[in-house]
C-alpha cells in the first residue's frame, strides 16, 4: 500500500513553489478556483460577506502608478491590505493564468478534463491572529508566518499572525494554480489536499536599487516592488543619490534636484516617493532611501558648490569612479545643510519605513587635501571629523525614530564608535567572511550581500572609456569591470552568508540584500538585470542558506520565471525549454542533478526557524509513523485519518474575528427554539450585515452604520478597537464555541473599577474590554422587557411603600410600551436615560460599560432594540392573521374547506392583506441615544483619560454650520480612471457645532473654552446659535496635518465630540417664548422644551394654585431677585419684560409685524443694584446674554466675519444680540457705549433684525430679543434740577425705543439706609433678607 501511494505521488507534478515553503504536504486531487471566489476575513466573519466594498474604494489608489500624497492614506487597515492582495491573486490566477506547457513533454495529457469542474474553491477564509489585529503599517509588522490549509472538498483557509503573513500566503496560494489550455475552463490546482506552514529565517530580505546613475522611473520601481512581493522580498533599498546625479526632490532645498538631476524630466517628486512607499506598503515591501554621505556627493556641489571639495578635478586620484567630490567635513555650513536635508526627507519617509541608509562607503582621503577647512589626508585628522559627521546624521535619524544603516567601511576602516541599538552595518566586499565576523564581534547588527556573489551588475564590462594616451589605464582589453565575472543565478543560490557565523551570533545577522548598481542599467534593461537572479537570492534569504541548486531548484525557478513573464516582467531565461520538457529522471538533465544522500538529514525539530517538508501526500506522511513529520502548530491538530487535516469547520455568521479553542466548560443549552445570536445581526455599527438584511430595501447603510458612532468629520478615521473575543485568562476563544456559566471576571480586588469587579455569565469578551456580547445583549433585553418605574423612584430616594401604591405607577413597564409606540409611529430613536440603567439591578455593570466603552455598547443596544421591535412586529402580524381567519371562513359561508382551483393564488393574494410589519421594522434604523449621566464635565477639564468614553458637557452654542452631506457609500465608474458618480452615492446629514463655556462657568481671569461637536442625521439643526444645551457624546481626537498638501501631522491632536443626544434649555431657566421663533421651528423647539422640562404632577398643581391667587403679580415680583432690597416697581417692569408681550402680524396693510418684546432701561446713581438685577435676569432668562457697554463693539453685538478653521470659508459669527434671539440681552454700563456701537441698536430695538453687508455676505439676521440696559447719569450722579433727558446721556432716537425707563436714585434718608443695612446684614449672616423673612416668595 505504501508503494502504491508513492507511485501515485510521483505520477502527478511536483509542488513548484518559490521560495520553497519550510513545510508542505500535498495530495493529487484537482480543485478549481471559482471565478466568483470570495474572501472572508476573520474580523468580518460574522457577516459571511466578502470584502469587495473595500476594494472598490482603493482600487484606483493602488493600481495607478502616478498616484501621490494627495490620495494617499496614512493608515492602511488589515482588511484593505488583504483585500487588495486577494484581488491581485485573482487577477494573476484567473486573468494572467500560466499554462505549464513548457514543463511537460510535447503532446502529453497532463491537464484535467475541461468539463470535470466538480469541486472548486468558492471561498477563502483568512483567520488572523489576535495579537496583531490593529491594522498594518510596514514599519511595525514583524511576523510573516502563515499556514495554508486546503481540503479535498475545497475548504480553503489561511492562518496568519499579521497582514504581512497574509500577503505571503496569498502569493503562495496563487502559485498553486495553473491555467487550463481551454480558455473557458478556468484555473486549477492538482495538489489537493494541501497543507503549507511557512515563515522566513531572516527578517530583512532586500534589494538595493540604484536610481541615481541612470534614470529609473517611479513606475518602474513600482513594477519591481510587485515582482519582489511575488518572491517574498520585503525591503527595497533605494540608492537615491550619488556623484553623478541627484534625482530626489527636496522641497526645502529645491536646487538640489533642479541642478543635480540629469534633466527636469528626470526628477523624483515628493509625491512620486510617497507613491512608491505606499505601493510598497500594499505589497508588503518596506521602501527606504539611501543618501550617500559624505562621499559620492558631487551632485550636491552642482547646487551648493561651497559644501563640496575635490569637485571638477581629475577623478582617478580622488574617487573610484567619475566624477569626484565629497562633503567638506570641517565646514560649519555642512551640519545645518544636513539637518535641513534629513529633516525634510525623513519626516516624509519615516511614516512608511523604520530605516535610513547614510552610505559611508569609498571615502577618499586624498580629496581632503583640497579642502581648505582640513588641508590634510591624514587618518588621524580625518577620523574625528568622520565620527562627528556620522554622529550628527545618527542623531537626526533617531529623532525621527529611524534605524541607520551604513556600509562596512565606517567600522572596518574608520573604526567609528556607534550605538549598536541604533545602527546596522551592511557588508559588501569580497567573500564577506572576515568582514562579517569582525563586525559581529563588535556587537553590531549586520546585513550581508557580497559583491562576489550578489552584485547583479558584475560581468557586464567597464562603464568608462579607456584612455588611449595612457598605456597604464586600467580600462583595457577585454574591458572587464572590477567585479567580473557575471553572477548567474546558481552562483547566487549557492551563496551561504552565515556558514562561518557561530550560532551565538546569528541573531545579529538581520538579513541581506542583492545589489544592482546603475552604471549599466536603466528602465529598459531593468527587468532582465534583476530577474530571475534576484529570485535565487530571495529563496536563500527566506529559508535556504547554503543549499546547492539541483534539478528541483531549476524547475521551480523556471516556473517562477514563467509566472513573472505572464505578469508582464521581461525576466531572463532559466534553461532551455527542451530541458524543462524532459521528465525529471531523464539523462538530458543529469548534469543538472547533484548526487543526493540516501536519506536527507532533517534539521532539529526544536528549531524555531526550520520546518520539515515532505513532497508526498498527507496520507503517506502519516503512514510513516515515526519517520513522518511532527507538526506542531497552534492553528491545527494532526489527524490520523487519510485526509489532509483541516481547520475545524465553523458556522459562519458569528461576529468573532478569530476561531481558537476555548478553555471554558461545556456548551450551554439554549432554552429558546428561536436562537437569537448574541452577536448583532443588523443595524449595529460594529458589524456588517444581518441575517435578516437580505430583505428588499435593507441596504448596508441603513442596517449597519450609525454616523454618530462611525464619524470621520475632521480627517482620517480614528483608531477603533477590532472585535475579538478572549476568555477570562485573556486567551482568544472561538466565537460560537462552548460557553461557560462561570463569572466573566474573577478579580474582586476592591481597588479595581466596579465594572471590572462584577461578574457575568459568559467567558467570551471583546478583546481590550470587559464586554461580553451575550451578557450585554441579554441584560439589555431584560432591562427593556422588565424595567419598571419603581426602580428609578427607589434610586431617587423613594421608599417601597411609596411605590407600592397602584396610583404611583411604580409597576408600569416603561420601555415595552415605548418600543411598541416607536414601531407603530415609525420612530427610530430611543432616548435612554442612563440613570435607569443604574437603577435596574441587573444592568449596573452595563451602566459602567456604557460610559467606558460606548463604541462597543451602543451598537449592541441598537441591535437589542431592533430584535425586540421585530419580535413585536411578528406577534402583531400573527394577531392580525388570527383576526382575519374567521372573516375568511365567514366569507365562504360554509365550514367546508375551499376546493383548490387554478385561481387559488388570486384569492390568496386578495385575502392576505396583512401588512408586512416585520419588513418595515427590518429596513428601519433604530438608534439608542443615551443621556442623563451622573454628572457633566466642564469642557476645560476634558483630558486624554476621557478619550473614546461617554461624556456629558454643558455650554452655549456660538456657531452651527449649514447641513453638510457626509458621504457614507461611494459609487465609482471605471473609465480609464475612477470617476465618482455623486447621484448614486449615499449621504447622511452632518453638522459641526461650536460649543462654548457659559459665562457663569468660566473661572475668573480666563477666556471661555470651546469644543467642536459633530451632530448627525436627526440631531442636525436641533440647536442653533445662542442655545444653552447639554450634550452627551463620545470624546474623540484626530491628527491634524501641518499642511493640507503634506502628510506630516502635528504632535497635537484635534479633539471633538460625536453627539449622541442633545438637551436644550437649562432646567434652571424659564421656558422659550416660541412666539419669537419661526412657525416651522415652533413645534420642534416646544417639543424639545417639553422633553427637557418635564413638570411633575405636584409641581403642576402648585403652578395652578399660584395662578389662581389674586396677588400673583406681587408674589412673582417679590420672588424676582429677592436679595435686592425693595425696588418693587422695577421688579414688576422686569417681570413683565420676562413674560413679554405677544408678537402681532396683520394680514392687511402689507402684513406688518409688531414686536411683543419689551425694552427696559435702568438709569440711576451708582451702587443701586442695577448690575445685580441684570446678572439675576441673565441667569434665569432663556438665551440670556450678558455684556457691558465699554467692552462691546458694533460687530460684537451684531455679527462679525471670520474664516472657518475647517473649511477656510468666510462665515458670520453671531454677536450678543443675535445669540440672545428669543431671550434677553443684558447690557451693563450702557452710557459708556460708543456712538458707533449704539447706532446698531436702532434697528434691533424696533425691527428686531440685524442687516449685514460685509465680506461679500449680504443678509439679515434675526435679533428678536428684549434689551435690559443699565446706565449712569451724566456726571455719575443724578441731578434732580435737570430734566430727565438731560441727565441721561443717550440720543433721543435711542431713548425713545425703550418702553420702560426707570430712575433708580440713591436718596439720602437715614431711616431707609438703616433698613437697607439691616437687610444686608441679615442676608449675609443668616441668609434671611428682610423681605423674604416677612413676606412669601417663590
Amino acid at each position: 500500500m505504501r508503494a502504491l501511494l508513492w507511485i501515485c505521488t510521483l505520477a502527478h507534478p511536483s509542488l513548484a513553489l518559490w521560495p520553497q515553503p519550510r513545510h508542505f504536504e500535498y495530495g493529487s486531487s484537482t480543485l478549481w478556483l471559482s471565478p466568483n471566489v470570495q474572501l472572508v476575513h476573520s474580523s468580518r466573519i460574522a457577516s459571511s460577506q466578502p470584502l469587495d466594498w473595500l476594494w472598490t474604494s482603493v482600487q484606483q489608489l493602488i493600481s495607478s502608478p502616478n498616484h501621490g500624497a494627495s490620495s494617499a492614506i496614512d493608515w492602511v487597515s488589515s482588511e484593505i491590505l488583504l483585500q487588495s492582495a486577494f484581488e491581485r491573486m485573482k487577477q494573476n490566477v484567473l486573468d494572467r493564468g500560466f499554462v505549464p506547457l513548457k514543463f511537460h513533454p510535447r503532446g502529453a495529457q497532463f491537464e484535467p478534463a475541461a468539463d470535470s469542474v466538480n469541486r472548486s474553491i468558492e471561498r477563502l477564509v483568512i483567520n488572523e491572529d489576535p495579537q496583531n489585529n490593529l491594522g498594518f503599517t510596514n514599519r511595525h509588522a514583524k511576523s510573516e508566518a502563515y499556514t495554508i490549509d486546503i481540503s479535498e472538498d475545497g475548504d480553503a483557509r489561511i492562518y496568519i499572525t499579521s497582514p504581512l503573513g497574509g500577503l505571503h500566503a496569498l502569493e503562495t496560494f496563487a502559485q498553486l494554480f495553473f491555467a487550463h489550455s481551454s480558455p473557458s475552463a478556468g484555473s486549477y490546482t492538482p495538489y489537493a489536499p494541501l497543507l503549507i506552514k511557512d515563515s522566513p529565517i531572516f527578517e530583512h530580505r532586500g534589494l538595493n536599487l540604484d536610481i541615481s546613475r541612470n534614470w529609473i522611473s517611479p513606475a518602474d520601481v513600482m513594477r519591481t516592488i510587485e515582482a519582489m512581493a511575488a518572491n517574498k522580498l520585503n525591503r527595497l533599498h533605494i540608492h537615491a543619490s550619488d556623484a553623478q546625479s541627484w534625482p530626489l526632490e527636496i522641497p526645502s532645498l529645491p536646487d538640489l534636484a533642479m541642478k543635480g538631476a540629469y534633466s527636469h524630466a528626470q526628477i523624483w517628486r515628493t509625491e512620486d516617493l510617497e507613491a512608491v512607499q505606499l505601493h510598497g506598503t500594499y505589497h508588503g515591501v518596506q521602501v527606504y532611501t539611501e543618501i550617500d554621505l559624505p562621499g559620492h556627493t558631487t551632485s550636491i556641489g552642482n547646487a551648493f558648490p561651497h559644501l563640496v571639495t575635490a569637485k571638477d578635478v581629475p577623478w582617478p586620484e580622488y574617487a573610484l569612479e567619475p566624477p569626484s567630490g565629497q562633503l567638506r567635513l570641517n565646514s560649519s555650513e555642512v551640519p545645518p545643510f544636513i539637518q535641513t536635508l534629513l529633516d525634510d526627507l525623513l519626516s516624509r519617509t519615516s511614516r512608511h519605513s523604520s530605516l535610513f541608509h547614510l552610505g559611508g562607503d569609498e571615502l577618499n582621503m586624498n580629496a581632503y587635501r583640497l579642502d581648505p577647512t582640513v588641508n590634510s589626508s591624514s587618518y588621524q585628522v580625518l577620523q574625528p571629523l568622520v565620527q562627528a559627521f556620522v554622529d550628527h546624521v545618527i542623531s537626526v535619524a533617531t529623532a525621527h525614530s529611524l534605524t541607520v544603516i551604513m556600509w562596512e567601511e565606517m567600522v572596518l576602516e574608520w573604526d567609528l564608535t556607534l550605538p549598536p541599538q541604533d545602527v546596522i552595518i551592511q557588508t559588501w566586499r569580497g567573500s564577506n567572511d572576515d568582514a562579517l565576523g569582525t563586525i559581529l564581534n563588535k556587537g553590531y547588527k549586520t546585513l550581508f550581500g557580497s559583491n562576489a556573489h550578489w552584485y547583479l551588475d558584475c560581468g557586464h564590462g567597464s562603464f568608462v572609456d579607456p584612455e588611449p594616451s595612457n598605456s597604464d589605464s586600467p580600462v583595457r582589453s577585454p574591458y572587464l569591470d572590477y567585479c567580473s565575472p557575471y553572477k548567474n543565478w546558481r552562483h547566487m543560490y549557492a551563496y551561504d552568508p552565515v556558514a562561518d557565523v557561530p550560532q551565538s551570533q546569528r541573531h545579529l545577522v538581520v538579513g541581506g540584500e542583492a545589489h544592482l548598481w546603475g552604471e549599466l542599467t536603466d528602465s529598459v534593461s531593468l527587468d532582465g538585470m534583476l530577474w530571475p537572479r534576484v529570485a535565487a537570492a530571495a529563496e536563500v534569504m527566506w529559508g535556504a542558506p547554503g543549499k546547492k541548486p539541483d534539478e528541483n531548484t531549476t524547475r521551480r525557478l523556471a516556473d517562477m520565471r514563467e509566472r513573472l513573464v505572464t505578469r508582464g516582467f521581461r525576466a531572463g531565461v532559466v534553461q532551455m525549454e527542451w530541458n524543462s520538457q524532459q521528465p525529471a529522471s531523464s539523462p538530458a538533465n543529469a548534469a543538472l542533478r547533484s548526487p543526493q544522500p540516501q536519506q536527507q538529514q532533517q534539521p532539529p525539530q526544536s528549531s524555531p526557524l526550520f520546518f520539515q517538508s515532505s513532497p508526498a501526500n498527507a496520507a503517506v506522511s502519516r503512514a510513516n509513523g515515526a519517520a513522518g513529520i511532527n507538526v506542531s502548530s497552534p492553528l491545527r491538530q494532526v489527524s490520523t485519518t487519510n485526509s489532509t487535516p483541516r481547520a475545524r469547520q465553523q458556522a459562519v455568521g458569528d461576529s468573532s474575528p478569530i476561531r481558537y479553542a476555548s478553555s471554558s466548560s461545556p456548551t450551554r443549552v439554549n432554552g429558546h427554539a428561536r436562537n437569537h445570536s448574541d452577536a448583532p445581526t443588523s443595524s449595529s455599527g460594529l458589524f456588517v450585515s444581518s441575517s435578516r438584511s437580505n430583505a428588499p430595501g435593507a441596504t448596508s447603510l441603513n442596517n449597519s452604520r450609525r454616523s454618530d458612532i462611525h464619524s470621520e468629520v475632521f480627517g482620517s478615521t480614528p483608531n477603533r478597537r477590532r472585535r475579538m473575543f478572549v476568555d477570562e485568562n485573556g486567551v482568544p476563544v472561538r466565537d460560537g464555541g462552548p460557553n461557560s456559566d462561570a463569572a466573566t471576571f474573577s478579580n474582586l480586588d476592591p481597588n479595581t473599577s466596579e465594572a471590572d469587579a462584577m461578574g457575568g455569565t459568559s467567558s467570551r469578551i471583546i478583546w481590550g474590554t470587559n464586554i461580553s456580547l451575550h451578557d450585554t445583549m441579554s441584560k439589555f433585553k431584560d432591562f427593556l422587557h422588565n424595567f419598571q418605574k419603581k426602580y428609578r423612584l427607589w434610586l431617587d430616594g423613594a421608599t417601597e411603600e411609596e411605590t407600592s401604591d397602584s396610583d404611583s405607577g411604580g409597576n408600569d413597564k416603561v420601555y415595552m410600551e415605548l418600543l411598541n409606540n416607536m414601531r407603530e409611529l415609525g420612530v427610530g430613536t430611543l432616548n435612554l436615560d442612563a440613570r435607569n440603567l443604574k437603577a435596574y439591578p441587573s444592568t449596573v455593570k452595563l451602566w459602567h460599560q456604557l460610559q467606558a466603552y460606548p463604541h462597543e455598547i451602543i451598537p449592541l443596544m441598537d441591535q437589542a432594540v431592533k430584535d425586540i421591535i421585530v419580535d413585536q412586529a411578528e406577534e402583531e402580524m400573527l394577531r392580525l392573521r388570527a383576526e382575519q381567519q374567521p372573516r375568511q371562513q365567514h366569507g365562504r359561508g360554509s365550514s367546508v374547506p375551499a376546493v383548490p382551483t387554478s385561481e387559488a393564488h388570486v384569492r390568496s393574494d386578495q385575502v392576505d392583506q396583512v401588512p408586512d410589519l416585520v419588513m418595515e421594522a427590518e429596513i428601519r434604523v433604530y438608534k439608542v441615544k443615551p443621556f442623563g449621566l451622573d454628572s457633566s464635565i466642564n469642557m476645560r477639564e476634558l483630558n486624554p483619560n476621557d478619550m473614546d468614553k461617554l461624556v456629558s458637557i454643558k455650554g452655549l452654542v456660538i456657531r452651527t454650520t449649514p447641513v453638510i452631506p457626509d458621504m457614507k457609500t461611494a459609487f465609482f465608474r471605471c473609465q480609464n480612471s475612477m470617476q465618482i458618480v455623486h447621484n448614486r452615492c449615499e449621504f447622511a446629514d452632518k453638522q459641526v457645532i461650536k460649543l462654548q463655556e457659559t459665562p457663569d462657568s468660566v473661572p475668573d481671569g480666563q477666556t471661555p473654552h470651546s469644543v467642536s461637536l459633530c451632530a448627525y442625521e436627526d440631531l442636525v439643526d436641533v440647536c442653533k446659535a445662542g442655545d444653552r444645551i447639554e450634550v452627551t457624546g463620545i470624546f474623540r481626537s484626530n491628527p491634524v496635518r501641518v499642511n493640507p498638501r503634506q502628510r506630516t501631522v502635528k504632535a497635537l491632536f484635534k479633539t471633538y465630540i460625536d453627539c449622541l443626544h442633545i438637551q436644550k434649555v437649562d432646567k434652571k431657566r424659564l421656558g422659550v417664548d416660541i412666539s419669537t421663533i419661526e412657525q416651522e421651528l415652533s413645534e420642534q423647539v416646544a417639543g424639545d422644551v417639553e422633553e427637557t422640562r418635564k413638570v411633575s404632577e405636584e409641581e403642576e398643581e402648585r403652578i395652578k394654585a399660584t395662578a389662581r391667587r389674586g396677588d400673583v403679580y406681587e408674589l412673582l415680583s417679590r420672588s424676582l431677585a429677592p436679595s435686592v432690597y425693595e425696588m418693587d416697581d422695577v421688579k414688576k417692569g422686569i417681570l413683565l419684560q420676562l413674560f413679554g408681550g405677544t408678537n402681532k402680524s396683520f394680514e392687511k396693510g402689507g402684513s406688518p409685524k409688531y414686536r411683543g418684546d419689551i425694552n427696559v432701561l435702568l438709569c440711576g446713581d451708582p451702587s443701586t443694584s442695577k448690575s445685580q438685577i441684570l446678572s439675576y435676569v441673565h441667569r434665569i432668562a432663556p438665551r440670556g446674554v450678558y455684556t457691558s457697554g465699554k467692552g462691546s463693539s458694533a460687530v460684537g453685538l451684531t455679527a462679525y466675519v471670520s474664516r472657518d478653521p475647517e473649511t477656510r470659508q468666510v462665515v458670520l459669527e453671531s454677536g450678543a444680540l443675535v445669540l440672545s434671539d428669543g431671550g434677553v440681552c443684558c447690557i451693563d454700563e450702557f452710557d459708556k457705549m460708543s456712538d458707533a456701537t449704539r447706532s446698531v441698536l436702532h434697528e434691533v430695538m424696533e425691527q428686531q433684525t440685524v442687516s449685514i453687508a460685509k465680506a461679500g455676505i449680504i443678509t439679515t439676521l434675526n435679533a428678536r430679543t428684549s434689551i435690559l440696559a443699565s446706565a449712569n447719569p451724566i456726571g455719575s450722579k443724578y441731578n434732580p434740577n435737570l430734566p430727565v433727558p438731560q441727565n441721561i446721556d443717550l440720543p433721543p432716537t435711542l431713548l425713545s425705543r425703550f418702553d420702560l425707563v426707570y430712575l433708580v436714585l440713591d436718596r439720602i434718608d437715614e431711616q431707609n439706609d438703616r433698613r437697607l443695612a439691616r437687610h444686608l446684614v441679615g442676608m449675609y449672616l443668616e441668609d434671611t433678607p428682610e423681605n423674604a423673612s416677612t413676606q412669601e416668595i417663590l
Side-chain angles (χ1 to χ4, degrees), residues 142 145 233 281 316 334 411 493 589 596 635 639 682 728 777 782 1031 1033 1037 1092 1098 1169 1257 1271 1317:
K142 294 293 185 182
L233 294 170
T281 298
V334 169
V411 172
Y493 190 85
N589 293 320
Q596 297 295 326
L635 300 176
S639 172
S682 64
E728 60 272 18
M777 296 283 287
D782 174 63
V1031 176
S1037 67
T1092 305
E1098 181 181 356
S1169 301
I1257 300 176

Side-chain angles (χ1 to χ4, degrees), residues 34 279 473 740 870 956 1020:
S34 171
H279 197 68
S473 172
S740 172
V870 169
L956 176 70
V1020 170

Side-chain angles (χ1 to χ4, degrees), residues 919-967:
M919 177 69 66
E920 295 175 2
E922 283 284 2
I923 65 176
R924 187 173 300 280
V925 180
Y926 294 97
K927 301 177 183 179
V928 175
K929 295 186 176 296
F931 71 98
L933 303 185
D934 275 359
S935 61
S936 60
I937 301 177
N938 190 305
M939 59 183 67
R940 68 175 62 237
E941 295 175 357
L942 291 170
N943 58 58
N945 292 333
D946 299 314
M947 287 297 173
D948 291 328
K949 294 184 178 179
L950 197 65
V951 298
S952 176
I953 63 171
K954 296 179 181 179
L956 176 70
V957 177
I958 60 173
R959 180 168 57 87
T960 60
T961 65
V963 178
I964 304 170
D966 189 28
M967 183 178 293

